[in-house]
Amino acid sequence: MKIPKSHPRYDSLMAREALVEGVKEGIVVRQGLIAHGRGEAFDYLIGEVSIEPAIEAEYAAAGRLLKARHPVISVNGNVAALSAKETVDVALGVGATIEANIFHRTEERVQKIVRKLKNAGAKEVLGLDPDARIEGLDHPRGLCAKAGIYSADVVLVPLEDGDRARALKDMGKVVLTIDLNPLSRTSRVSDITIVDNITRSMPSLAGFANELRGDDERIDRILSEFDNKKNLSEVLKHITRRLTKLESVSFD
Ligand code: PTJ
């Protein structure tokens, strides 16, 4: 479907098209459309922009990835459909390994996600031959690569279900996420939660990583000042203020 750039909901409609295309290509599961709808609802409440707490979290996440010994970005179907190229940009910018790691696992879908990421410029993508397990997760969700998620010190798990984030934390890893729902289990359990749309967040992460690279003093300051609980509470305050303002807006 051709969507004119002038359409007021252009970005949102393009994201939907990318996901529907992803379902047709076998990259996205149908459940991914439902997950996206939940994300959209929160984005609507936020105002469909990157708010200040999100930008703060993006700086912190970029810094944390740059400081990591072995950073890994976990990619699922929705992430591949919405942000393949931008995810590769972030990985190249921070020196992270990419691993396709999916909830509704089939070998065919992992292969398609790997191909999509390679077509977007990734040199290597792990996930096809899992040789380790995320402790505490039932088969096949716990399958992962020893050289990837299993041995990572910092893992970025965007658009994630809560169990895996919790299990990764229990393995002692620093967990970063991108999740429009500030109330989700993943958001609550992660060390750094970016409450922003992945379509806005991945480009920001890549840009902020470029800005911070080599400036360890600034990264350390950003990380020491960042407080995830406080950040999530700022997001909720933003939504509350926005809804209170909108209460008095007339639509006729
Ligand atoms: O490809 P698979 O098999 O790994 O499955 C992927 C999905 C997304 C279906 C799976 O991980 C899942 O069911 O996730 P959840 O539990 O629905 O969580 C996804 C979270 O991502 C929710 O909290 C949504 O609000 C959030 N979300 C959805 N779309 C976006 C988003 N956050 C940021 N940007 C989005 N575009």
Side-chain angles (χ1 to χ4, degrees), residues 29-95:
V29 272
R30 283 170 294 178
Q31 291 88 332
L33 301 178
I34 301 169
H36 185 74
R38 177 182 291 175
E40 273 193 344
F42 278 99
D43 209 11
Y44 203 84
L45 296 178
I46 286 165
E48 295 176 308
V49 290
S50 301
I51 58 174
E52 199 49 45
I55 294 168
E56 265 174 37
E58 278 153 2
Y59 269 109
R64 199 65 200 76
L65 286 165
L66 283 167
K67 286 224 118 187
R69 170 184 52 80
H70 179 23
V72 172
I73 304 179
S74 175
V75 174
N76 65 20
N78 284 40
V79 174
L82 289 173
S83 301
K85 182 183 172 304
E86 296 75 10
T87 300
V88 174
D89 288 346
V90 174
L92 292 175
V94 301

Short mmCIF file of all heavy atoms in Angstrom, two decimals, residues 29-95:
data_model
loop_
_atom_site.label_atom_id
_atom_site.label_comp_id
_atom_site.label_asym_id
_atom_site.label_seq_id
_atom_site.Cartn_x
_atom_site.Cartn_y
_atom_site.Cartn_z
N VAL A 29 5.81 -13.15 13.75
CA VAL A 29 4.67 -14.02 14.08
C VAL A 29 3.41 -13.16 14.20
O VAL A 29 3.51 -11.97 14.48
CB VAL A 29 4.86 -14.76 15.44
CG1 VAL A 29 5.59 -16.06 15.26
CG2 VAL A 29 5.51 -13.88 16.49
N ARG A 30 2.24 -13.77 14.01
CA ARG A 30 1.01 -12.98 14.09
C ARG A 30 0.85 -12.35 15.46
O ARG A 30 0.34 -11.24 15.61
CB ARG A 30 -0.21 -13.84 13.72
CG ARG A 30 -0.31 -14.01 12.20
CD ARG A 30 -1.33 -15.02 11.81
NE ARG A 30 -0.92 -16.35 12.27
CZ ARG A 30 -1.65 -17.45 12.11
NH1 ARG A 30 -2.81 -17.39 11.52
NH2 ARG A 30 -1.21 -18.60 12.55
N GLN A 31 1.35 -13.04 16.48
CA GLN A 31 1.30 -12.47 17.84
C GLN A 31 2.07 -11.15 17.91
O GLN A 31 1.81 -10.30 18.76
CB GLN A 31 1.91 -13.45 18.86
CG GLN A 31 1.10 -14.70 19.08
CD GLN A 31 1.46 -15.82 18.09
OE1 GLN A 31 1.88 -15.57 16.97
NE2 GLN A 31 1.26 -17.05 18.50
N GLY A 32 3.04 -11.01 16.99
CA GLY A 32 3.84 -9.78 16.95
C GLY A 32 2.99 -8.57 16.60
O GLY A 32 3.30 -7.45 17.03
N LEU A 33 1.91 -8.80 15.83
CA LEU A 33 1.02 -7.68 15.48
C LEU A 33 0.27 -7.21 16.73
O LEU A 33 0.05 -6.02 16.93
CB LEU A 33 0.02 -8.11 14.40
CG LEU A 33 0.64 -8.60 13.08
CD1 LEU A 33 -0.47 -9.04 12.12
CD2 LEU A 33 1.49 -7.52 12.44
N ILE A 34 -0.11 -8.18 17.56
CA ILE A 34 -0.81 -7.83 18.81
C ILE A 34 0.15 -7.07 19.74
O ILE A 34 -0.21 -6.05 20.31
CB ILE A 34 -1.33 -9.11 19.50
CG1 ILE A 34 -2.29 -9.85 18.56
CG2 ILE A 34 -2.01 -8.78 20.82
CD1 ILE A 34 -2.66 -11.26 19.01
N ALA A 35 1.37 -7.58 19.82
CA ALA A 35 2.38 -6.91 20.67
C ALA A 35 2.60 -5.48 20.19
O ALA A 35 2.72 -4.55 20.99
CB ALA A 35 3.69 -7.69 20.63
N HIS A 36 2.63 -5.30 18.88
CA HIS A 36 2.84 -3.95 18.33
C HIS A 36 1.67 -3.03 18.68
O HIS A 36 1.86 -1.85 18.99
CB HIS A 36 3.03 -4.02 16.81
CG HIS A 36 3.37 -2.68 16.23
ND1 HIS A 36 4.62 -2.11 16.37
CD2 HIS A 36 2.62 -1.79 15.53
CE1 HIS A 36 4.62 -0.93 15.78
NE2 HIS A 36 3.43 -0.71 15.26
N GLY A 37 0.47 -3.61 18.63
CA GLY A 37 -0.73 -2.81 18.97
C GLY A 37 -0.65 -2.30 20.40
O GLY A 37 -1.00 -1.15 20.68
N ARG A 38 -0.15 -3.14 21.29
CA ARG A 38 0.01 -2.69 22.68
C ARG A 38 1.03 -1.56 22.74
O ARG A 38 0.82 -0.54 23.40
CB ARG A 38 0.47 -3.85 23.56
CG ARG A 38 0.71 -3.39 24.99
CD ARG A 38 1.21 -4.50 25.86
NE ARG A 38 0.18 -5.50 26.08
CZ ARG A 38 0.39 -6.64 26.74
NH1 ARG A 38 1.57 -6.90 27.23
NH2 ARG A 38 -0.57 -7.50 26.90
N GLY A 39 2.11 -1.73 22.02
CA GLY A 39 3.13 -0.68 21.98
C GLY A 39 2.55 0.63 21.43
O GLY A 39 2.77 1.70 22.00
N GLU A 40 1.79 0.53 20.35
CA GLU A 40 1.18 1.73 19.73
C GLU A 40 0.30 2.47 20.73
O GLU A 40 0.26 3.70 20.75
CB GLU A 40 0.30 1.32 18.56
CG GLU A 40 1.01 1.20 17.24
CD GLU A 40 0.02 1.11 16.08
OE1 GLU A 40 -1.17 0.83 16.32
OE2 GLU A 40 0.46 1.31 14.94
N ALA A 41 -0.46 1.72 21.53
CA ALA A 41 -1.37 2.36 22.48
C ALA A 41 -0.57 3.21 23.47
O ALA A 41 -0.93 4.36 23.77
CB ALA A 41 -2.19 1.30 23.21
N PHE A 42 0.56 2.65 23.94
CA PHE A 42 1.39 3.44 24.87
C PHE A 42 2.04 4.61 24.15
O PHE A 42 2.18 5.69 24.71
CB PHE A 42 2.44 2.54 25.54
CG PHE A 42 1.88 1.78 26.70
CD1 PHE A 42 1.48 0.47 26.58
CD2 PHE A 42 1.70 2.41 27.94
CE1 PHE A 42 0.94 -0.23 27.65
CE2 PHE A 42 1.15 1.74 29.01
CZ PHE A 42 0.77 0.41 28.87
N ASP A 43 2.42 4.40 22.89
CA ASP A 43 3.04 5.50 22.13
C ASP A 43 2.05 6.65 21.98
O ASP A 43 2.41 7.82 22.06
CB ASP A 43 3.49 4.99 20.74
CG ASP A 43 4.69 5.76 20.21
OD1 ASP A 43 5.28 6.55 20.99
OD2 ASP A 43 5.03 5.60 19.02
N TYR A 44 0.79 6.31 21.78
CA TYR A 44 -0.27 7.31 21.64
C TYR A 44 -0.38 8.13 22.93
O TYR A 44 -0.51 9.35 22.91
CB TYR A 44 -1.58 6.57 21.36
CG TYR A 44 -2.62 7.42 20.66
CD1 TYR A 44 -2.60 7.57 19.28
CD2 TYR A 44 -3.62 8.05 21.38
CE1 TYR A 44 -3.55 8.33 18.63
CE2 TYR A 44 -4.58 8.82 20.74
CZ TYR A 44 -4.54 8.95 19.37
OH TYR A 44 -5.47 9.72 18.73
N LEU A 45 -0.30 7.42 24.07
CA LEU A 45 -0.40 8.11 25.36
C LEU A 45 0.81 9.01 25.60
O LEU A 45 0.71 10.08 26.18
CB LEU A 45 -0.51 7.10 26.51
CG LEU A 45 -1.76 6.22 26.52
CD1 LEU A 45 -1.71 5.24 27.67
CD2 LEU A 45 -3.03 7.08 26.62
N ILE A 46 1.96 8.55 25.10
CA ILE A 46 3.21 9.31 25.30
C ILE A 46 3.24 10.55 24.39
O ILE A 46 3.79 11.58 24.74
CB ILE A 46 4.43 8.39 25.03
CG1 ILE A 46 4.59 7.42 26.21
CG2 ILE A 46 5.71 9.17 24.80
CD1 ILE A 46 5.50 6.25 25.91
N GLY A 47 2.59 10.44 23.20
CA GLY A 47 2.56 11.56 22.27
C GLY A 47 3.36 11.31 21.00
O GLY A 47 3.62 12.22 20.22
N GLU A 48 3.79 10.05 20.82
CA GLU A 48 4.53 9.63 19.62
C GLU A 48 5.78 10.45 19.36
O GLU A 48 6.10 10.79 18.22
CB GLU A 48 3.60 9.62 18.40
CG GLU A 48 2.50 8.58 18.55
CD GLU A 48 1.49 8.58 17.42
OE1 GLU A 48 0.95 9.67 17.13
OE2 GLU A 48 1.26 7.52 16.84
N VAL A 49 6.46 10.82 20.45
CA VAL A 49 7.76 11.49 20.34
C VAL A 49 8.70 10.88 21.38
O VAL A 49 8.24 10.24 22.33
CB VAL A 49 7.67 13.02 20.61
CG1 VAL A 49 6.97 13.75 19.50
CG2 VAL A 49 7.01 13.30 21.96
N SER A 50 9.99 11.10 21.20
CA SER A 50 10.97 10.65 22.20
C SER A 50 10.98 11.68 23.32
O SER A 50 11.46 12.80 23.14
CB SER A 50 12.37 10.55 21.59
OG SER A 50 12.35 9.66 20.51
N ILE A 51 10.46 11.30 24.46
CA ILE A 51 10.38 12.26 25.58
C ILE A 51 11.72 12.29 26.33
O ILE A 51 12.55 11.40 26.16
CB ILE A 51 9.19 11.93 26.53
CG1 ILE A 51 9.32 10.50 27.09
CG2 ILE A 51 7.87 12.12 25.81
CD1 ILE A 51 8.27 10.16 28.13
N GLU A 52 11.87 13.31 27.16
CA GLU A 52 13.15 13.52 27.87
C GLU A 52 13.66 12.26 28.62
O GLU A 52 14.83 11.89 28.47
CB GLU A 52 12.98 14.72 28.83
CG GLU A 52 14.27 15.36 29.30
CD GLU A 52 15.28 15.68 28.20
OE1 GLU A 52 14.87 16.22 27.15
OE2 GLU A 52 16.47 15.35 28.40
N PRO A 53 12.81 11.58 29.39
CA PRO A 53 13.32 10.38 30.08
C PRO A 53 13.81 9.31 29.09
O PRO A 53 14.77 8.58 29.38
CB PRO A 53 12.10 9.86 30.86
CG PRO A 53 11.18 11.02 30.95
CD PRO A 53 11.43 11.88 29.76
N ALA A 54 13.19 9.23 27.92
CA ALA A 54 13.63 8.25 26.91
C ALA A 54 15.01 8.63 26.39
O ALA A 54 15.90 7.78 26.24
CB ALA A 54 12.63 8.18 25.77
N ILE A 55 15.20 9.93 26.15
CA ILE A 55 16.50 10.38 25.63
C ILE A 55 17.59 10.12 26.68
O ILE A 55 18.68 9.64 26.35
CB ILE A 55 16.42 11.87 25.23
CG1 ILE A 55 15.47 12.00 24.02
CG2 ILE A 55 17.80 12.45 24.91
CD1 ILE A 55 15.04 13.39 23.67
N GLU A 56 17.26 10.38 27.96
CA GLU A 56 18.22 10.09 29.04
C GLU A 56 18.59 8.60 29.05
O GLU A 56 19.76 8.24 29.18
CB GLU A 56 17.59 10.42 30.39
CG GLU A 56 17.91 11.80 30.89
CD GLU A 56 17.12 12.12 32.15
OE1 GLU A 56 16.92 11.21 32.98
OE2 GLU A 56 16.70 13.28 32.27
N ALA A 57 17.56 7.75 28.92
CA ALA A 57 17.81 6.30 28.94
C ALA A 57 18.60 5.88 27.71
O ALA A 57 19.44 4.97 27.78
CB ALA A 57 16.48 5.55 29.02
N GLU A 58 18.36 6.54 26.58
CA GLU A 58 19.10 6.21 25.36
C GLU A 58 20.59 6.56 25.51
O GLU A 58 21.46 5.78 25.10
CB GLU A 58 18.47 6.91 24.15
CG GLU A 58 17.26 6.12 23.64
CD GLU A 58 16.20 6.96 22.93
OE1 GLU A 58 16.39 8.19 22.77
OE2 GLU A 58 15.17 6.37 22.54
N TYR A 59 20.87 7.70 26.12
CA TYR A 59 22.28 8.06 26.39
C TYR A 59 22.90 7.03 27.31
O TYR A 59 24.03 6.57 27.10
CB TYR A 59 22.38 9.46 27.00
CG TYR A 59 22.55 10.56 25.98
CD1 TYR A 59 21.53 11.45 25.70
CD2 TYR A 59 23.76 10.70 25.29
CE1 TYR A 59 21.69 12.46 24.75
CE2 TYR A 59 23.93 11.70 24.34
CZ TYR A 59 22.89 12.57 24.07
OH TYR A 59 23.06 13.55 23.13
N ALA A 60 22.17 6.66 28.37
CA ALA A 60 22.72 5.70 29.34
C ALA A 60 22.97 4.34 28.67
O ALA A 60 24.01 3.71 28.87
CB ALA A 60 21.77 5.56 30.53
N ALA A 61 22.01 3.90 27.85
CA ALA A 61 22.15 2.60 27.18
C ALA A 61 23.32 2.63 26.19
O ALA A 61 24.12 1.68 26.12
CB ALA A 61 20.86 2.23 26.47
N ALA A 62 23.45 3.73 25.46
CA ALA A 62 24.57 3.85 24.50
C ALA A 62 25.89 3.78 25.25
O ALA A 62 26.82 3.06 24.85
CB ALA A 62 24.45 5.15 23.71
N GLY A 63 25.96 4.48 26.37
CA GLY A 63 27.19 4.47 27.18
C GLY A 63 27.48 3.09 27.73
O GLY A 63 28.62 2.63 27.71
N ARG A 64 26.43 2.43 28.21
CA ARG A 64 26.61 1.10 28.81
C ARG A 64 27.08 0.09 27.75
O ARG A 64 27.92 -0.76 28.03
CB ARG A 64 25.27 0.64 29.43
CG ARG A 64 25.42 -0.46 30.44
CD ARG A 64 26.20 0.03 31.64
NE ARG A 64 26.79 -1.03 32.45
CZ ARG A 64 27.88 -1.74 32.13
NH1 ARG A 64 28.52 -1.54 30.98
NH2 ARG A 64 28.34 -2.67 32.93
N LEU A 65 26.54 0.21 26.54
CA LEU A 65 26.97 -0.69 25.46
C LEU A 65 28.43 -0.43 25.09
O LEU A 65 29.20 -1.36 24.85
CB LEU A 65 26.06 -0.51 24.23
CG LEU A 65 24.65 -1.11 24.34
CD1 LEU A 65 23.74 -0.57 23.24
CD2 LEU A 65 24.70 -2.65 24.27
N LEU A 66 28.79 0.86 25.04
CA LEU A 66 30.17 1.20 24.68
C LEU A 66 31.16 0.69 25.73
O LEU A 66 32.28 0.32 25.41
CB LEU A 66 30.33 2.72 24.54
CG LEU A 66 29.78 3.34 23.26
CD1 LEU A 66 29.71 4.86 23.40
CD2 LEU A 66 30.63 2.97 22.05
N LYS A 67 30.74 0.66 26.99
CA LYS A 67 31.64 0.25 28.09
C LYS A 67 31.67 -1.26 28.28
O LYS A 67 32.47 -1.77 29.06
CB LYS A 67 31.18 0.89 29.39
CG LYS A 67 31.51 2.36 29.48
CD LYS A 67 32.07 2.73 30.83
CE LYS A 67 33.47 3.25 30.75
NZ LYS A 67 34.09 3.46 32.03
N ALA A 68 30.77 -1.97 27.60
CA ALA A 68 30.66 -3.41 27.83
C ALA A 68 31.89 -4.16 27.31
O ALA A 68 32.53 -3.74 26.35
CB ALA A 68 29.41 -3.95 27.15
N ARG A 69 32.17 -5.29 27.97
CA ARG A 69 33.24 -6.17 27.51
C ARG A 69 32.76 -6.96 26.30
O ARG A 69 33.44 -7.09 25.30
CB ARG A 69 33.62 -7.11 28.67
CG ARG A 69 34.55 -8.26 28.34
CD ARG A 69 34.76 -9.17 29.56
NE ARG A 69 33.52 -9.62 30.17
CZ ARG A 69 32.76 -10.61 29.73
NH1 ARG A 69 33.10 -11.27 28.64
NH2 ARG A 69 31.65 -10.96 30.37
N HIS A 70 31.52 -7.47 26.41
CA HIS A 70 30.96 -8.30 25.34
C HIS A 70 29.45 -8.00 25.21
O HIS A 70 28.62 -8.73 25.73
CB HIS A 70 31.21 -9.77 25.69
CG HIS A 70 30.66 -10.75 24.70
ND1 HIS A 70 30.41 -10.44 23.37
CD2 HIS A 70 30.32 -12.05 24.83
CE1 HIS A 70 29.94 -11.50 22.75
NE2 HIS A 70 29.86 -12.49 23.61
N PRO A 71 29.12 -6.90 24.51
CA PRO A 71 27.70 -6.54 24.37
C PRO A 71 27.02 -7.36 23.28
O PRO A 71 27.63 -7.65 22.25
CB PRO A 71 27.76 -5.06 23.97
CG PRO A 71 29.08 -4.89 23.31
CD PRO A 71 30.02 -5.91 23.90
N VAL A 72 25.78 -7.74 23.53
CA VAL A 72 25.01 -8.51 22.53
C VAL A 72 23.64 -7.85 22.35
O VAL A 72 23.02 -7.42 23.32
CB VAL A 72 24.84 -9.98 22.98
CG1 VAL A 72 23.88 -10.73 22.06
CG2 VAL A 72 26.19 -10.70 23.01
N ILE A 73 23.20 -7.78 21.10
CA ILE A 73 21.85 -7.29 20.81
C ILE A 73 21.01 -8.48 20.37
O ILE A 73 21.35 -9.17 19.41
CB ILE A 73 21.86 -6.19 19.71
CG1 ILE A 73 22.79 -5.05 20.11
CG2 ILE A 73 20.43 -5.67 19.46
CD1 ILE A 73 22.89 -3.92 19.09
N SER A 74 19.93 -8.71 21.10
CA SER A 74 19.04 -9.84 20.80
C SER A 74 17.94 -9.34 19.85
O SER A 74 17.31 -8.32 20.11
CB SER A 74 18.44 -10.33 22.12
OG SER A 74 17.49 -11.31 21.88
N VAL A 75 17.73 -10.06 18.77
CA VAL A 75 16.77 -9.59 17.76
C VAL A 75 15.64 -10.62 17.59
O VAL A 75 15.89 -11.81 17.38
CB VAL A 75 17.48 -9.37 16.40
CG1 VAL A 75 16.48 -9.03 15.30
CG2 VAL A 75 18.51 -8.24 16.52
N ASN A 76 14.40 -10.16 17.70
CA ASN A 76 13.25 -11.03 17.44
C ASN A 76 12.58 -10.60 16.12
O ASN A 76 13.09 -9.72 15.40
CB ASN A 76 12.28 -11.04 18.63
CG ASN A 76 11.63 -9.68 18.88
OD1 ASN A 76 11.58 -8.83 18.01
ND2 ASN A 76 11.14 -9.48 20.10
N GLY A 77 11.44 -11.21 15.82
CA GLY A 77 10.79 -10.95 14.54
C GLY A 77 10.39 -9.49 14.37
O GLY A 77 10.63 -8.88 13.31
N ASN A 78 9.78 -8.92 15.40
CA ASN A 78 9.33 -7.52 15.29
C ASN A 78 10.51 -6.57 15.10
O ASN A 78 10.44 -5.62 14.29
CB ASN A 78 8.56 -7.11 16.55
CG ASN A 78 7.17 -7.67 16.59
OD1 ASN A 78 6.95 -8.82 16.21
ND2 ASN A 78 6.20 -6.88 17.03
N VAL A 79 11.58 -6.82 15.83
CA VAL A 79 12.76 -5.94 15.73
C VAL A 79 13.34 -6.01 14.31
O VAL A 79 13.66 -4.98 13.71
CB VAL A 79 13.83 -6.34 16.78
CG1 VAL A 79 15.11 -5.55 16.60
CG2 VAL A 79 13.27 -6.15 18.20
N ALA A 80 13.42 -7.23 13.76
CA ALA A 80 13.97 -7.39 12.41
C ALA A 80 13.10 -6.68 11.38
O ALA A 80 13.62 -6.06 10.45
CB ALA A 80 14.07 -8.88 12.08
N ALA A 81 11.77 -6.76 11.56
CA ALA A 81 10.89 -6.13 10.57
C ALA A 81 10.91 -4.60 10.67
O ALA A 81 10.85 -3.91 9.66
CB ALA A 81 9.45 -6.64 10.77
N LEU A 82 11.02 -4.09 11.89
CA LEU A 82 10.91 -2.64 12.07
C LEU A 82 12.24 -1.91 11.98
O LEU A 82 12.28 -0.75 11.57
CB LEU A 82 10.29 -2.32 13.45
CG LEU A 82 8.81 -2.65 13.63
CD1 LEU A 82 8.40 -2.44 15.09
CD2 LEU A 82 7.94 -1.79 12.72
N SER A 83 13.32 -2.56 12.37
CA SER A 83 14.57 -1.81 12.55
C SER A 83 15.82 -2.61 12.21
O SER A 83 16.84 -2.49 12.91
CB SER A 83 14.68 -1.37 14.03
OG SER A 83 13.60 -0.58 14.40
N ALA A 84 15.78 -3.40 11.14
CA ALA A 84 16.95 -4.24 10.84
C ALA A 84 18.20 -3.39 10.61
O ALA A 84 19.23 -3.59 11.26
CB ALA A 84 16.66 -5.12 9.62
N LYS A 85 18.10 -2.40 9.74
CA LYS A 85 19.30 -1.62 9.39
C LYS A 85 19.79 -0.81 10.59
O LYS A 85 20.99 -0.75 10.86
CB LYS A 85 18.99 -0.69 8.21
CG LYS A 85 20.20 0.07 7.82
CD LYS A 85 20.03 1.07 6.72
CE LYS A 85 21.29 1.90 6.56
NZ LYS A 85 21.73 2.58 7.78
N GLU A 86 18.85 -0.22 11.32
CA GLU A 86 19.21 0.61 12.47
C GLU A 86 19.84 -0.23 13.58
O GLU A 86 20.73 0.23 14.29
CB GLU A 86 17.97 1.35 12.99
CG GLU A 86 17.37 2.36 12.01
CD GLU A 86 16.59 1.74 10.86
OE1 GLU A 86 16.34 0.51 10.88
OE2 GLU A 86 16.23 2.50 9.93
N THR A 87 19.37 -1.48 13.72
CA THR A 87 19.96 -2.38 14.72
C THR A 87 21.41 -2.70 14.33
O THR A 87 22.30 -2.72 15.18
CB THR A 87 19.13 -3.68 14.83
OG1 THR A 87 17.80 -3.32 15.22
CG2 THR A 87 19.70 -4.65 15.84
N VAL A 88 21.62 -2.95 13.06
CA VAL A 88 22.99 -3.22 12.57
C VAL A 88 23.86 -1.98 12.81
O VAL A 88 25.01 -2.09 13.25
CB VAL A 88 22.97 -3.62 11.07
CG1 VAL A 88 24.38 -3.74 10.53
CG2 VAL A 88 22.20 -4.92 10.89
N ASP A 89 23.32 -0.78 12.56
CA ASP A 89 24.09 0.45 12.81
C ASP A 89 24.52 0.54 14.26
O ASP A 89 25.66 0.89 14.56
CB ASP A 89 23.23 1.70 12.49
CG ASP A 89 23.01 1.88 11.00
OD1 ASP A 89 23.73 1.22 10.22
OD2 ASP A 89 22.10 2.67 10.63
N VAL A 90 23.59 0.22 15.19
CA VAL A 90 23.94 0.28 16.62
C VAL A 90 25.03 -0.75 16.91
O VAL A 90 26.03 -0.44 17.57
CB VAL A 90 22.70 0.03 17.52
CG1 VAL A 90 23.11 -0.05 18.99
CG2 VAL A 90 21.65 1.12 17.32
N ALA A 91 24.84 -1.96 16.41
CA ALA A 91 25.82 -3.03 16.68
C ALA A 91 27.21 -2.63 16.18
O ALA A 91 28.21 -2.80 16.89
CB ALA A 91 25.36 -4.34 16.02
N LEU A 92 27.28 -2.08 14.98
CA LEU A 92 28.58 -1.67 14.43
C LEU A 92 29.16 -0.53 15.26
O LEU A 92 30.35 -0.47 15.54
CB LEU A 92 28.44 -1.25 12.96
CG LEU A 92 28.09 -2.38 11.97
CD1 LEU A 92 27.86 -1.81 10.57
CD2 LEU A 92 29.21 -3.43 11.93
N GLY A 93 28.28 0.37 15.69
CA GLY A 93 28.73 1.56 16.44
C GLY A 93 29.29 1.23 17.81
O GLY A 93 30.16 1.94 18.31
N VAL A 94 28.76 0.19 18.45
CA VAL A 94 29.22 -0.12 19.82
C VAL A 94 30.05 -1.41 19.86
O VAL A 94 30.47 -1.84 20.93
CB VAL A 94 28.04 -0.23 20.82
CG1 VAL A 94 27.24 1.06 20.88
CG2 VAL A 94 27.13 -1.42 20.49
N GLY A 95 30.23 -2.03 18.71
CA GLY A 95 30.99 -3.29 18.66
C GLY A 95 30.22 -4.44 19.29
O GLY A 95 30.82 -5.28 19.98
#
